[in-house]
Amino acid sequence: MLNNLENDSIFTPEQVLENRGRVAIFIDGSNLFYAALQLGIEIDYTKLLCRLTGGSRLLRSFFYTGVDRTNEKQQGFLLWMRRNGYRVIAKDLVQLPDGSKKANLDVEIAVDMMALVDSYDTAVLVSGDGDLAYAVNSVSYRGVRVEVVSLRSMTSDSLINVSDRYIDLEAIKEDIQKTPRQSYPYRPLSGIGFLEDPRTSDGHLEIQE
């Protein structure tokens, strides 16, 4: 496995990354949100996209999240995401018997990884969910390199074991977190402007299951 080779210093990080080819990014929004809570940071999604792409050719970046259609702040945040490099896959939250709300998007992530397998060379999966290990293993057998990015304490060993490279969010948190009074380096692709600045929208954080 490449992550073991890196630890043994057989390859430098630059050598490991130089043949990434076309990159497709798959982000489990709920998993990332709870990881950020554990780290005590707020994610800057522009920085995140740049860090995960790493100078390679980006095919597409998918962001999977549960949504509350009545939450205007979350809708504003998702609109910003769509206009700034992300393809948002949203699923309505379902209320559980205990009163909590949840939306499981594992199937959507797995299906998209498989459906596009001939269009990318490297998959970057931002999730620690072990339920995705089978999908990761399957695309690996199709010749795809898989990088898993997540918080170690929230990551299944089975997912790490089938990945080619594992990156702990703890190690890159300085590269992806928001900073005070930060401005984004480019405007929404539509040129219309923000409906709402996600830096001041905390409503979406409550329901990103």
Side-chain angles (χ1 to χ4, degrees):
M1 306 297 287
L2 284 178
N3 49 315
N4 292 330
L5 293 175
E6 288 180 67
N7 293 335
D8 293 337
S9 299
I10 294 175
F11 298 117
T12 66
E14 290 77 16
Q15 288 173 320
V16 171
L17 293 176
E18 67 183 4
N19 293 318
R20 296 174 85 211
R22 297 163 299 175
V23 174
I25 300 171
F26 305 88
I27 301 173
D28 180 340
S30 175
N31 197 276
L32 179 59
F33 166 65
Y34 286 112
L37 279 183
Q38 290 288 325
L39 290 171
I41 66 172
E42 191 172 358
I43 301 293
D44 180 313
Y45 287 92
T46 298
K47 286 183 176 181
L48 178 67
L49 187 58
C50 292
R51 181 63 174 80
L52 296 180
T53 304
S56 299
R57 178 184 172 190
L58 177 63
L59 173 70
R60 185 158 290 164
S61 180
F62 295 94
F63 183 81
Y64 302 83
T65 185
V67 295
D68 178 353
R69 305 289 177 181
T70 65
N71 188 317
E72 293 184 3
K73 287 185 177 181
Q74 188 195 40
Q75 294 303 313
F77 164 73
L78 295 180
L79 179 59
W80 183 92
M81 292 286 280
R82 290 185 178 99
R83 291 177 174 177
N84 286 271
Y86 291 90
R87 176 65 60 90
V88 176
I89 291 82
K91 190 174 184 179
D92 289 340
L93 293 165
V94 176
Q95 186 158 347
L96 303 178
D98 63 1
S100 63
K101 293 182 178 181
K102 187 175 181 65
N104 192 322
L105 286 103
D106 289 349
V107 172
E108 286 80 357
I109 295 173
V111 168
D112 287 346
M113 289 183 74
M114 292 301 300
L116 292 170
V117 71
D118 294 325
S119 300
Y120 61 88
D121 305 297
T122 298
V124 180
L125 174 63
V126 183
S127 179
D129 194 338
D131 290 341
L132 293 169
Y134 188 83
V136 167
N137 203 37
S138 296
V139 298
S140 294
Y141 275 107
R142 296 287 298 274
V144 170
R145 166 195 169 86
V146 182
E147 301 174 3
V148 170
V149 182
S150 56
L151 188 61
R152 184 63 186 90
S153 61
M154 296 174 54
T155 307
S156 167
D157 287 340
S158 62
L159 189 57
I160 294 176
N161 291 341
V162 294
S163 69
D164 295 294
R165 186 180 190 226
Y166 172 72
I167 301 171
D168 190 343
L169 281 170
E170 175 79 40
I172 64 170
K173 69 177 184 179
E174 300 296 331
D175 298 333
I176 63 173
Q177 67 179 339
K178 289 183 180 178
T179 55
R181 302 180 183 279
Q182 179 182 327
S183 61
Y184 285 86
Y186 58 88
R187 297 180 181 278
L189 300 178
S190 66
I192 297 175
F194 296 117
L195 286 189
E196 183 168 2
D197 190 330
R199 289 170 292 169
T200 59
S201 301
D202 56 2
H204 70 274
L205 297 178
E206 300 173 2
I207 47 83
Q208 275 192 333
E209 284 283 347

